């Protein structure tokens, strides 16, 4: 196994098997054919255009209209058992960060529609005499997603109404009891993107990443029950777990690989897949 296997695993999707979903003429989503059929059966709000692609009907023209239509559809499809569950937290749907949101959708419904989700991830680390040590989270065994797997110190989805740094500071407090006087030192370090296929649909996701160097005497505390425990590990040990296993939640491994590159642990001289890793962390989303 190699680091590159994580890049491949996170980019396992074949978008050609999906039906594009357009908003304002822009291809922003992609539906499984069976999900497209179920969606079209709900009524007149969703239609196919002359190219066979899905879009909102002409009478659904504003953000509020789209939100009402999506809310009604997702609740109906959840009642039918087509959508497994709804989360209750909304994500913005927009082509890029430079665009205002075109609508919002329940977080758990995003992959069914193939809309891009944004999230925040944080590498918490301590600089010791023998090098960098990284805080690793062990996900709670009763979490509905990826229970018991290893995770970045703090991470979360990007909900409607919050800035990325604001959300990251909030997640630091909620997940690891990191006080704001420390989390204000968060360093933005870029993004990682991938195109992942799940049983629900496509996840063309972007992770907005941060590093946070923490004092040697700071010990995180599991504050909201999503993490069973935190473990401070030498960076070489973290790197070996990523290189040799899939013990980390699938996308969290990419965040760590990015850290290893940026901090000089992986270089063009010691990693034969270095070029493929540096480009593979930034997948061109299918639209």
């Amino acid at each position: 196994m190699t680091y590159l296997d994580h890049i491949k695993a996170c980019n396992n999707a074949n978008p050609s098997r999906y039906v594009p979903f357009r908003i304002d003429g822009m291809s922003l989503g992609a539906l499984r054919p069976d999900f497209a059929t179920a969606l079209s059966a709900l009524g007149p709000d969703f239609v196919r255009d002359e190219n066979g692609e899905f879009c909102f009907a002409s009478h659904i023209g504003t953000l509020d209209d789209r939100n009402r239509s999506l809310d009604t559809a997702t609740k109906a499809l959840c009642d039918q058992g087509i959508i497994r569950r709804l989360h209750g937290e909304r994500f913005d749907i927009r082509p890029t960060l430079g665009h205002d949101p075109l609508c919002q959708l329940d977080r758990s419904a995003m992959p069914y529609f193939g809309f891009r989700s944004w999230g925040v991830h944080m590498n918490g680390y301590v600089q010791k005499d023998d090098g960098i040590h990284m805080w690793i989270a062990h996900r709670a065994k009763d979490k509905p997603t990826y229970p018991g797997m290893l995770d970045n110190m703090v991470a979360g989805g990007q909900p409607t109404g919050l800035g990325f740094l604001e959300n990251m500071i909030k997640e630091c407090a909620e997940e690891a009891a990191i006080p704001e006087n420390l989390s204000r030192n968060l360093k933005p370090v870029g993004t990682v993107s991938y195109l992942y296929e799940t049983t629900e649909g496509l996840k063309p996701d972007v992770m907005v990443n941060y590093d946070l160097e923490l004092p040697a005497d700071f010990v995180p505390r599991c504050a909201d029950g999503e993490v069973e425990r935190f473990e401070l590990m030498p960076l070489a040990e973290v790197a070996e777990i990523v290189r040799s296993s899939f013990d980390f939640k699938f996308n969290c491994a990419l965040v760590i690989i990015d850290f290893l590159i940026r901090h000089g642990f992986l270089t063009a001289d010691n990693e034969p897949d270095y070029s493929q890793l540096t480009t593979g962390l930034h997948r061109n989303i299918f639209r």
Side-chain angles (χ1 to χ4, degrees), residues 116-283:
R116 178 188 291 125
S117 292
W118 301 79
V120 291
H121 285 245
M122 188 268 277
N123 302 286
Y125 68 97
V126 176
Q127 185 72 57
K128 295 189 174 185
D129 291 342
D130 60 348
I132 293 175
H133 289 57
M134 181 177 281
W135 281 107
I136 300 301
H138 293 251
R139 293 168 69 88
K141 292 184 175 61
D142 60 356
K143 274 188 71 67
T145 55
Y146 309 101
M149 297 194 78
L150 302 181
D151 205 331
N152 303 130
M153 186 181 187
V154 179
Q158 182 63 28
T160 296
L162 289 180
F164 287 93
L165 179 59
E166 180 184 13
N167 186 33
M168 189 78 263
I169 291 172
K170 176 183 76 69
E171 293 288 348
C172 282
E174 292 177 355
E175 291 191 0
I178 300 174
E180 190 168 336
N181 67 300
L182 293 181
S183 61
R184 281 292 173 188
N185 296 318
L186 283 160
K187 179 182 177 183
V189 293
T191 63
V192 168
S193 56
Y194 56 88
L195 181 57
Y196 186 62
E197 185 171 5
T198 72
T199 55
E200 291 86 9
L202 289 184
K203 290 178 64 63
D205 292 351
V206 179
M207 297 178 288
V208 177
N209 299 328
Y210 295 83
D211 285 353
L212 180 61
E213 183 174 357
L214 290 159
D217 60 354
F218 175 78
V219 178
R221 177 171 51 84
C222 308
D224 62 3
E226 294 192 4
V227 172
E228 182 179 276
R229 63 188 175 93
F230 292 96
E231 183 177 4
L232 186 62
M233 302 171 63
L235 189 61
E237 184 176 340
V238 177
E240 179 57 22
I241 293 172
V242 173
R243 189 200 63 79
S244 62
S245 76
F246 286 104
D247 291 350
F248 275 90
K249 178 174 173 281
F250 74 101
N251 56 355
C252 298
L254 302 193
V255 176
I256 292 175
I257 292 170
D258 178 66
F259 184 94
L260 296 174
I261 291 170
R262 290 186 292 101
H263 288 261
F265 187 93
L266 296 180
T267 71
D269 289 316
N270 67 18
E271 172 51 54
D273 295 324
Y274 184 80
S275 179
Q276 292 165 280
L277 290 175
T278 57
T279 57
L281 290 170
H282 307 285
R283 167 69 186 265

Side-chain angles (χ1 to χ4, degrees), residues 17-88:
R17 296 189 290 107
Y18 288 74
V19 181
F21 189 102
R22 294 183 177 274
I23 305 176
D24 279 359
M26 295 176 285
S27 183
L28 299 184
L31 316 177
R32 288 183 184 272
D34 56 343
F35 186 80
T37 299
L39 189 63
S40 63
L42 294 178
D45 288 357
F46 302 95
V47 298
R48 288 180 182 266
D49 63 18
E50 64 276 8
N51 298 315
E53 300 181 352
F54 260 78
C55 58
F56 288 101
S58 58
H59 67 276
I60 308 295
T62 68
L63 180 147
D64 288 339
D65 290 340
R66 296 181 192 117
N67 284 352
R68 281 192 295 268
S69 181
L70 288 170
D71 285 347
T72 300
T74 53
K75 289 173 184 174
L77 293 171
C78 190
D79 289 341
Q80 295 174 27
I82 295 172
I83 293 177
R84 287 193 301 170
R85 67 185 181 95
L86 296 177
H87 188 282

